[in-house]
Amino acid sequence: MNRGVSWFNITSIVLGFAFLYLPIVILIIFSFNESRLVTVWGGFSTKWYSELFNNQGLMDAAWVTARVAFVSATVATVLGTLAAITLVRFGRFHGRTLFSGMVYAPLVMPEVITGLSLLLLFVAINFDRGFWTVAIAHITFSMCFVAVVVQSRLVSFDSSVEEAAMDLGCPPAKTFFVVTLPIILPAVVSGWMLAFTLSLDDLVIASFTTGPGATTLPMKIYSQVRLGVTPEINAVCTILIALVTIGVVTASLVSKRQELERKRAEAAAKAQ
């Protein structure tokens, strides 16, 4: 009975992972295809990566996407961290329910509604659409993800460390930057990486809020795929997959290292 259940679980996991990742593996393989026909294997070649870097339209879209992702992830991390601190440290205050609802609303709001509402806002205030409207839109929906990640770390945070620092004469602001921030830094870095990845991946909201000269890479890929998949598209998607994978692995390693250092410090403190 247990053996049957075990084989059933293994088979389910294998089929599930194959369904999720086999198309990605096929895309990566065909990005090294010699043939221009993406469904016919013509031999191994890296020429499409050279062609990709000579494609000025894709390069401009990639540069816009990278700038938008960096700016939006950085601002969203700052605002999301402040929101998480407010929700965890200030307890129940007047308007807390409204504040938490506004912070977490983008988590459950359909992207079409978010993009349309932001478009109507920018039109109402006569704000020219372009790079900054896309960045503001990405900050709006990615800030809540950062708040969730940082809040989960602050809930288990030992506030006695901060109290000890302030008892020794450390001002509250310095206590945050010297004591609190280094401890919650893995969560902050993870939140930044998550916001950066979400910005790289966004298509719907950027389509509503973009303007002249602010075409992002997902929008460029989508517009070209509608006319047919080309080997350059496979190549640029492979590079995006590699960047996201490197970022996730790096954030995971940093988080594990910080966690080990924290445990060592706690063990040393208990030994003393």
Side-chain angles (χ1 to χ4, degrees), residues 215-263:
T215 301
T216 62
L217 191 57
M219 295 171 57
K220 187 71 174 179
I221 293 173
Y222 179 72
S223 64
Q224 291 193 5
V225 166
R226 294 176 65 185
L227 302 176
V229 180
T230 62
E232 290 93 339
I233 298 298
N234 290 340
V236 71
C237 291
T238 301
I239 293 175
L240 281 175
I241 292 169
L243 290 175
V244 171
T245 302
I246 292 172
V248 170
V249 171
T250 301
S252 177
L253 292 176
V254 170
S255 178
K256 288 182 179 180
R257 183 176 178 181
Q258 293 287 342
E259 187 67 19
L260 288 175
E261 292 179 355
R262 183 182 66 82
K263 290 181 179 180

Side-chain angles (χ1 to χ4, degrees), residues 75-166:
V75 178
T77 300
V78 174
L79 296 178
T81 301
L82 294 176
I85 292 173
T86 301
L87 291 172
V88 174
R89 296 295 176 84
F90 287 86
R92 294 196 171 274
F93 55 89
H94 184 69
R96 175 187 171 87
T97 303
L98 177 62
F99 178 75
S100 60
M102 293 176 64
V103 170
Y104 297 134
L107 284 171
V108 296
M109 191 75 66
E111 291 186 344
V112 174
I113 295 178
T114 302
L116 180 59
S117 60
L118 288 170
L119 171 62
L120 294 176
L121 172 64
F122 295 140
V123 171
I125 64 177
N126 197 24
F127 195 85
D128 293 334
R129 283 172 288 162
F131 173 85
W132 288 109
T133 54
V134 178
I136 292 171
H138 285 187
I139 292 169
T140 301
F141 80 85
S142 60
M143 181 186 71
C144 58
F145 291 92
V146 178
V148 170
V149 174
V150 177
Q151 185 179 5
S152 64
R153 178 65 185 90
L154 286 171
V155 168
S156 60
F157 184 83
D158 186 6
S159 59
S160 62
V161 181
E162 293 177 320
E163 295 172 357
M166 288 187 286

